Every structure is written in C-alpha cells, then in structure tokens.
Amino acid sequence: FPTNKAIEGKSIGKAVQKADITQQDILMNSVAISKSLPLIVSGYNLFENSYTYASFNIDKWKELLLQMSQMADYVIVDCSSDFSNNKPTSAAMALADSVIQIYAAEYRSEIFFASQQKVLKDENYDDERFIKAIMIGHNSRNQASNEIINAKNIKNKIPFSEQVGHQYQSGTLFSGTSDRAFNDAVLKLLKEVM
C-alpha cells in the first residue's frame, strides 16, 4: 500500500475471509491512488501477511480474482516467485492471460527460474503466456546480464532507476517518475500485455 492515512484498517485479507466475496468488500479494502488515475491498490496491510488471517484454499483466491476481473479491464498481481507454495500466486498464475516473469541480472536468478521449469510443467502452467523481462541493476555485471538475456531469449530490459528506487523505499511508487529510460522500458512491456 502507498504510505497514506487512507490505508488504515484496509486489507485484502479482510475481503478474502468473507464467506462470499463481493465487489464492495474489495473496494472497502482497497485504496484509490488518485482521482485522475483510475487505479486502485489492494493488498495486506503493514505488518500483515498470509498468516494473519485464516488459511484459504486456492479456490477462495480465484473467487477474489474473478470478482476483481469483473471490476476492471486489467488486474495486476505482484506474485511471489515461490508459486507452487503460495496460494494467491498459484491462483493468479492459473487465471492469468499473461504472466510477466522478471529476472534479476545475476546468475542465481537464472538458476532459480531454471529449477522452477519442471514445477511449472507439473502444475500445468502454460509458459507460452510468459513475457520475460530482466531488471538491469546499477551494479550488474554485463556478462551475467547478456548470458541470461541470450539463454532465455529475453527481449525486455528494464534499466535501473535511482529515482524509482527512492520511491520504492519511501512508499511513493505511484507518484510517477521522470526517468525516461525506465518509463520507455515499462511502456514497451505493457504493450505486450495489452
């Protein structure tokens, strides 16, 4: 959640714990980013996680996502890389039209994703829907980046942005950035989804 007073008492966990999830439950536990930008954000609140509320099966998370998809043209879910043991991530990946898979520009990222390929196939995830991108860090070694890009046939590169890094740290990601290279890379990635 962005850092503002509007988030107090709001949590997606409250909506998911209802017997029947309604669009009103979702809206009551979401935050509108701005009046000019038609975007709402929902998630666990500060100091909460998936263990804060009762355990929900994957069908409950799918119900939430289906309700959200009736409310908006696009539903973006920030998923865990541990998709096989994370119910919200498993539900999102099962229902997604597109999945953006972001690699870090380091060898351990490539090794991790390579180790997940069998799990993806076993879980019947269609990796043809995956749009691959690599986040180029400010201290990335070009050799690692280039080897991962070539090995995984990655066409989308997201450059490091110091401004976005500061916004992440301060909880103001939705305030926009003047970093043209970063904006251009993200827009290119979004065009593949739309």
Side-chain angles (χ1 to χ4, degrees):
F1 273 136
T3 55
N4 65 41
K5 289 287 185 189
I7 66 169
E8 288 182 12
K10 296 184 178 189
S11 172
I12 199 61
K14 290 180 180 180
V16 178
Q17 73 179 356
K18 302 271 183 146
D20 293 311
I21 302 170
T22 66
Q23 292 179 6
Q24 187 64 26
D25 294 327
I26 295 168
L27 288 173
M28 286 177 56
N29 287 288
S30 300
V31 176
I33 299 305
S34 75
K35 290 184 178 13
S36 62
L37 184 64
L39 177 69
I40 63 168
V41 175
S42 189
Y44 288 117
N45 208 331
L46 192 61
F47 305 117
E48 289 184 345
N49 59 42
S50 59
Y51 299 108
T52 305
Y53 297 92
S55 180
F56 310 110
N57 64 29
I58 193 168
D59 292 329
K60 196 70 172 169
W61 288 105
K62 284 182 179 179
E63 179 186 349
L64 172 75
L65 293 170
L66 290 170
Q67 284 287 349
M68 287 179 162
S69 70
Q70 292 174 5
M71 298 168 65
D73 293 333
Y74 297 96
V75 176
I76 300 170
V77 181
D78 182 8
C79 293
S80 164
S81 56
D82 182 16
F83 49 84
S84 60
N85 294 315
N86 185 293
K87 291 173 188 169
T89 294
S90 295
M93 288 181 62
L95 296 174
D97 294 326
S98 299
V99 174
I100 300 173
Q101 187 176 38
I102 301 179
Y103 289 76
E106 50 193 40
Y107 291 119
R108 65 182 171 188
S109 176
E110 181 183 10
I111 291 166
F112 174 78
F113 281 118
S115 72
Q116 299 299 302
Q117 289 304 313
K118 184 174 180 350
V119 178
L120 281 170
K121 288 189 184 351
D122 290 349
E123 299 284 331
N124 294 317
Y125 292 118
D126 179 12
D127 63 352
E128 294 296 317
R129 297 174 298 141
F130 287 22
I131 299 166
K132 295 178 179 155
I134 189 165
M135 181 64 79
I136 308 294
H138 68 289
N139 60 356
S140 295
R141 294 178 177 84
N142 285 335
Q143 181 181 359
S145 302
N146 291 333
E147 287 180 18
I148 294 168
I149 289 166
N150 293 332
K152 298 298 178 188
N153 194 26
I154 297 173
K155 295 177 179 56
N156 296 290
K157 299 176 195 171
I158 305 170
F160 172 77
S161 170
E162 192 167 329
Q163 182 183 17
V164 173
H166 288 298
Q167 289 173 300
Y168 173 77
Q169 293 290 328
S170 65
T172 58
L173 275 175
F174 294 108
S175 61
T177 178
S178 59
D179 187 327
R180 187 176 177 99
F182 182 86
N183 285 337
D184 290 347
V186 171
L187 284 174
K188 179 180 180 253
L189 189 59
L190 290 176
K191 285 179 182 174
E192 285 196 45
V193 174
M194 298 177 150

